[in-house]
Amino acid sequence: MAAAVKEFKAGKVEYRSEKGGTVHAGVGKMSFDEEKIVANVNSFIEAIKAAKPAGIKGNYVNSVTLSCTMGPGIRLAV
């Protein structure tokens, strides 16, 4: 348990991807302030871009939508 907490504090990013290319990840909680959520979203997008396979050409991230668990999504400009 202590090792997992250490990894997340060090910046480990976990995400799930679907067959259609959609990627899901938790980037914050409602209690976070705006700056922290923005920093987390930016870090997540950079982690996805860094995971881009070398053989893929073109735009790897087409759109980003931020939403709470059961709420409507807000489209972000990338």
Side-chain angles (χ1 to χ4, degrees), residues 12-74:
K12 181 179 179 180
V13 177
E14 276 192 358
Y15 53 88
R16 297 182 315 274
S17 60
E18 295 179 359
K19 189 174 16 174
T22 303
V23 179
H24 302 274
V27 292
K29 296 184 178 197
M30 292 296 291
S31 61
F32 286 7
D33 59 355
E34 183 178 340
E35 294 83 25
K36 186 152 183 157
I37 292 176
V38 169
N40 287 350
V41 168
N42 288 333
S43 296
F44 173 67
I45 292 171
E46 292 304 316
I48 293 296
K49 287 180 179 179
K52 176 181 176 180
I56 302 294
K57 295 182 180 177
N59 193 7
Y60 195 59
V61 178
N62 292 329
S63 66
V64 177
T65 305
L66 183 68
S67 70
C68 59
T69 303
M70 296 298 288
I74 300 169

